[in-house]
Amino acid sequence: MIIRNSVKINWLSVAASLSLVVVVGIVVVLFEVYTDDVYFKTKDFNYFLIFTLLLVFILNYFVLEFLFSFYSKNQIRRITNILPEDIIHDFDTDIGFKELEEKVHEMNQKNAEIDMMKEMENYRKEYIGNVSHELKTPLFSIQGYIETLRDGGVEDLNIRDKYLQRIDNSVERLLNIVKDLDMINRFESGQIALKYSTFDINNLIQEVFDLLEMEAEKQSMTMQLQTTQSQLFVYADKQRISQVLINLISNAVKYANREEAQIIVSTREGTRSIHISVEDNGMGIKPENLPRIFERFYRVESSRNRKDGGSGLGLAIVKHIMEAHKQGIVVESVYLSGTKFKFKLEKSPLERLRKI
């Protein structure tokens, strides 16, 4: 069993040797047919021919094996010269192309794992840095207000009330950051289950308009709903879709920054979905920023966003909510002209039945 497993037949060498023997055999047979010499037609000559062809086959096989082996070792030696030293020292003189392929494959896997670990480490550092930066601003504000009150500011009722209100605002911002982080982590770990129901998306949009009306009036912004029908029923988690609309519309309000600013929310019916878009004519987003706007803590205009008290997690939450609904969200923007967010929601089963 051991001998049988140690013998390896190179079928390429066998085929090449056999081809040579066949060619030689054909030439000799043709010579026998056309020659007049009786000796070449005897049995002795045929036995001699068979023995000679067999010997040629064997010798040719081993010659080819030697040449293939010599060529392979030269090629392997050239390849190993460009490989890292930690791979080369494992080689022995009998290594073949198959073993070399396995070694290179292992090396590539290790490199891929190292690259992934480096990428995760960089992400972790950036994530921790962003979280600490976001928490640091309100915490330092609270610390400053408390020190002022302790140094005598508490005796002045105006200062006390003003600073206590600012402390309350900073604490609320801290809570919002923590809640948003917790929500994203729960979405990513699959701990949040959606509560599907049928509701009128137009009615929900109007509720969000009413909620953000005062904020929009401060920015002299108008909000408008454009729809193909007075009622469009969708099948989704109403509370989560409300969060999506609030985040998108409130962002548009914050970045209005122009006269006659307006937000247009459009809804239209598709074959199996309801199409929704939130469009504004605000500052827009630069092209280089577009691919990153759904990342955690990524800010298009950091100073302005921080002043408004945003957590920097709103669009990341929007993306996770839409992914939980097995839908995507698309953004189109022209810098200094405006931005449009587009997404779809599944049409209510009752809505589909009504169309049949």
Side-chain angles (χ1 to χ4, degrees):
M1 181 68 68
I2 297 175
I3 296 175
R4 188 187 311 155
N5 290 336
S6 63
V7 175
K8 296 181 180 178
I9 298 176
N10 189 332
W11 294 106
L12 180 61
S13 297
V14 170
S17 300
L18 187 60
S19 299
L20 178 61
V21 168
V22 170
V23 171
V24 173
I26 291 173
V27 172
V28 174
V29 169
L30 290 175
F31 177 77
E32 283 184 321
V33 171
Y34 291 101
T35 186
D36 294 328
D37 195 329
V38 179
Y39 171 74
F40 291 106
K41 302 180 185 296
T42 62
K43 289 183 178 180
D44 291 339
F45 176 77
N46 289 331
Y47 290 146
F48 173 77
L49 176 62
I50 294 172
F51 173 79
T52 303
L53 291 176
L54 182 61
L55 182 62
V56 169
F57 172 81
I58 295 173
L59 290 175
N60 189 57
Y61 173 82
F62 284 107
V63 169
L64 288 174
E65 276 295 281
F66 171 78
L67 293 175
F68 283 144
S69 176
F70 179 78
Y71 175 78
S72 298
K73 287 181 179 179
N74 281 340
Q75 293 301 314
I76 291 171
R77 192 176 300 111
R78 291 175 59 187
I79 294 172
T80 55
N81 287 335
I82 62 174
L83 290 176
E85 292 183 359
D86 58 341
I87 299 296
I88 296 173
H89 70 74
D90 289 332
F91 291 153
D92 55 28
T93 56
D94 295 328
I95 190 169
F97 279 112
K98 185 176 181 180
E99 291 81 1
L100 179 62
E101 181 184 2
E102 292 175 354
K103 290 289 185 181
V104 173
H105 181 67
E106 290 176 6
M107 182 186 69
N108 290 336
Q109 278 190 325
K110 289 179 181 178
N111 290 338
E113 290 174 1
I114 292 172
D115 291 341
M116 184 178 295
M117 291 175 65
K118 287 180 180 178
E119 186 176 345
M120 291 177 66
E121 178 65 16
N122 291 335
Y123 176 80
R124 184 187 68 83
K125 289 179 180 178
E126 184 179 357
Y127 178 67
I128 292 175
N130 286 331
V131 171
S132 62
H133 188 78
E134 294 301 325
L135 297 179
K136 187 164 54 178
T137 303
L139 284 173
F140 281 175
S141 298
I142 293 171
Q143 185 183 37
Y145 297 143
I146 291 176
E147 287 179 357
T148 301
L149 292 174
R150 290 176 63 183
D151 290 342
V154 71
E155 305 297 334
D156 188 323
L157 293 181
N158 290 329
I159 293 178
R160 184 192 67 184
D161 292 344
K162 181 172 68 174
Y163 278 26
L164 285 175
Q165 181 60 47
R166 291 180 179 177
I167 290 173
D168 182 64
N169 293 339
S170 295
V171 170
E172 183 178 357
R173 181 179 174 189
L174 280 173
L175 289 174
N176 286 336
I177 293 173
V178 173
K179 286 192 296 184
D180 287 347
L181 278 172
D182 178 63
M183 181 181 299
I184 289 178
N185 289 330
R186 288 170 64 194
F187 266 120
E188 290 181 345
S189 60
Q191 296 179 15
I192 294 183
L194 299 180
K195 298 178 181 178
Y196 282 88
S197 64
T198 295
F199 59 92
D200 179 10
I201 187 65
N202 289 341
N203 185 57
L204 180 62
I205 292 169
Q206 196 58 57
E207 290 177 5
V208 174
F209 281 172
D210 294 341
L211 180 66
L212 300 175
E213 183 177 10
M214 292 184 62
E215 187 178 346
E217 286 179 353
K218 289 180 184 178
Q219 301 288 341
S220 301
M221 173 172 271
T222 60
M223 297 181 292
Q224 180 183 355
L225 171 62
Q226 294 182 351
T227 182
T228 55
Q229 298 181 33
S230 58
Q231 289 183 317
L232 287 172
F233 290 94
V234 298
Y235 186 63
D237 187 320
K238 185 176 181 179
Q239 181 184 355
R240 302 301 178 193
I241 298 304
S242 176
Q243 284 180 277
V244 169
L245 292 168
I246 290 172
N247 281 332
L248 294 178
I249 295 173
S250 62
N251 265 359
V253 171
K254 288 176 186 176
Y255 289 100
N257 200 26
R258 66 167 57 198
E259 295 179 359
E260 298 182 359
Q262 63 177 355
I263 299 173
I264 298 175
V265 181
S266 303
T267 59
R268 66 177 179 85
E269 184 178 13
T271 306
R272 303 181 64 85
S273 306
I274 302 298
H275 298 254
I276 303 140
S277 66
V278 179
E279 183 177 9
D280 66 72
N281 62 346
M283 293 300 297
I285 304 169
K286 295 179 180 179
E288 61 268 24
N289 293 329
L290 277 175
R292 300 192 61 188
I293 62 170
F294 292 107
E295 294 180 13
R296 299 179 183 184
F297 299 112
Y298 187 77
R299 298 175 183 276
V300 176
E301 292 184 59
S302 57
S303 59
R304 176 181 173 81
N305 205 310
R306 243 175 230 109
K307 181 186 72 175
D308 293 333
S311 68
L313 295 167
L315 290 180
I317 290 174
V318 166
K319 178 175 176 285
H320 281 290
I321 291 175
M322 295 314 303
E323 287 177 349
H325 282 81
K326 294 181 173 52
Q327 300 288 349
I329 181 165
V330 177
V331 58
E332 299 172 354
S333 185
V334 178
Y335 187 55
L336 300 179
S337 294
T339 304
K340 177 188 284 189
F341 290 90
K342 300 188 295 184
F343 60 95
K344 296 186 294 185
L345 292 174
E346 183 183 347
K347 189 185 295 185
S348 166
L350 295 177
E351 188 78 10
R352 292 202 296 267
L353 288 173
R354 196 177 64 180
K355 298 297 180 181
I356 298 177

